[in-house]
Amino acid sequence: QVQVVESGGGVVQPGRSLRLSCAASGFTFSHYGMHWVRQAPGKGLEWVAFIEFDGGNKYYVESVKGRFTISRDNSKNTLYLQMNSLRGEDTAVYYCARDQLDYWGQGTLVTVSS
Amino acid sequence: SYELTQPSSVSVSPGQTARITCSGDVLAVKSARWFQQKPGQAPVLMIYKDNERPSGIPDRFSGSSSGTTVTLTISGAQVEDEADFYCYSATDNNRGVFGGGTKLTVL
């Protein structure tokens, strides 16, 4: 069955970096674009980034442009989100999801705090 | 900027019909999806392409579209339908945008 599992969350100080991973299984990963979506505590969903199936094009929400980088390794069926210069407002549960947003992981919590 | 506007809350009694709207200029040219999210859980896709239902989603959930507004209708809402609902659309610059979410109360 289709499954995506996020990992890599944790507590990090403002200004530091963190890399999230999303391991995919149950489908041909290299055929699908992938999203990152986040949800701050008690808040709504926010779309963060999208990468096309082959990594050729990448798109970001304005608030993370220049700080976050979405990437993928199709040989490892894994999606990544490199987060640099983290801020308090980046504190959230980060979800990965397949391109039609039909399959989501359970999320990984990132807390940015000193 | 791209924005989708939803009511913050909707309340119905069990068995009644609940309607949740989502408005935004982008909906005139792009289709919408609807997600249900229960506390502590990941979102679940309920409707795509404005009115299509994924397999496994009860047929009491339906979607419609008119101009710049899409509507999620829950016919005969049940207590277990109580959740947060979010609309979503891709934008014409290849990004995505979610509505602010609607808390549905069924009691």
Side-chain angles (χ1 to χ4, degrees):
Chain A
Q1 72 283 18
V2 172
Q3 196 171 12
V4 291
V5 179
E6 304 91 341
S7 61
V11 180
V12 60
Q13 293 179 328
R16 303 298 290 265
S17 299
L18 203 62
R19 188 178 81 158
L20 305 182
S21 299
C22 168
S25 60
F27 64 102
T28 306
F29 181 70
S30 61
H31 290 183
Y32 290 85
M34 296 291 293
H35 299 266
W36 285 102
V37 175
R38 68 184 178 182
Q39 187 169 35
K43 303 296 185 183
L45 300 172
E46 180 182 34
W47 179 86
V48 174
F50 176 77
I51 186 168
E52 291 184 344
F53 70 101
D54 60 356
N57 286 300
K58 306 171 186 181
Y59 306 95
Y60 301 92
V61 68
E62 200 64 35
S63 60
V64 309
K65 267 187 198 176
R67 300 189 300 122
F68 289 12
T69 302
I70 189 172
S71 63
R72 63 192 298 156
D73 185 337
N74 285 346
S75 69
K76 295 182 178 179
N77 291 343
T78 302
L79 174 73
Y80 302 101
L81 187 67
Q82 177 67 43
M83 304 185 294
N84 299 333
S85 303
L86 281 162
R87 307 168 180 167
E89 55 264 37
D90 296 318
T91 294
V93 173
Y94 285 74
Y95 296 98
C96 65
R98 206 168 69 164
D99 66 347
Q100 298 302 307
L101 296 171
D102 50 354
Y103 290 94
W104 296 60
Q106 284 305 303
T108 187
L109 176 62
V110 173
T111 302
V112 183
S113 173
S114 54
Chain B
S1 66
Y2 299 95
E3 290 185 0
L4 296 177
T5 301
Q6 300 180 231
S8 57
S9 64
V10 168
S11 183
V12 297
S13 300
Q16 287 189 327
T17 296
R19 293 181 179 86
I20 301 172
T21 58
C22 172
S23 299
D25 290 342
V26 69
L27 298 176
V29 294
K30 294 287 188 180
S31 64
R33 296 184 177 93
W34 287 97
F35 298 89
Q36 178 190 57
Q37 187 181 34
K38 296 183 178 180
Q41 298 183 19
V44 173
L45 178 65
M46 306 300 283
I47 296 288
Y48 65 99
K49 291 183 182 177
D50 292 339
N51 56 18
E52 298 288 335
R53 204 169 41 247
S55 61
I57 302 302
D59 60 7
R60 64 179 179 275
F61 291 90
S62 63
S64 60
S65 174
S66 178
T68 59
T69 298
V70 294
T71 302
L72 174 70
T73 300
I74 308 170
S75 304
Q78 300 182 8
V79 173
E80 59 261 35
D81 298 333
E82 199 166 275
D84 293 326
F85 289 85
Y86 296 90
C87 59
Y88 167 91
S89 178
T91 67
D92 57 9
N93 62 354
N94 296 305
R95 274 82 179 164
V97 60
F98 284 94
T102 299
K103 181 177 182 60
L104 174 67
T105 301
V106 182
L107 54 74

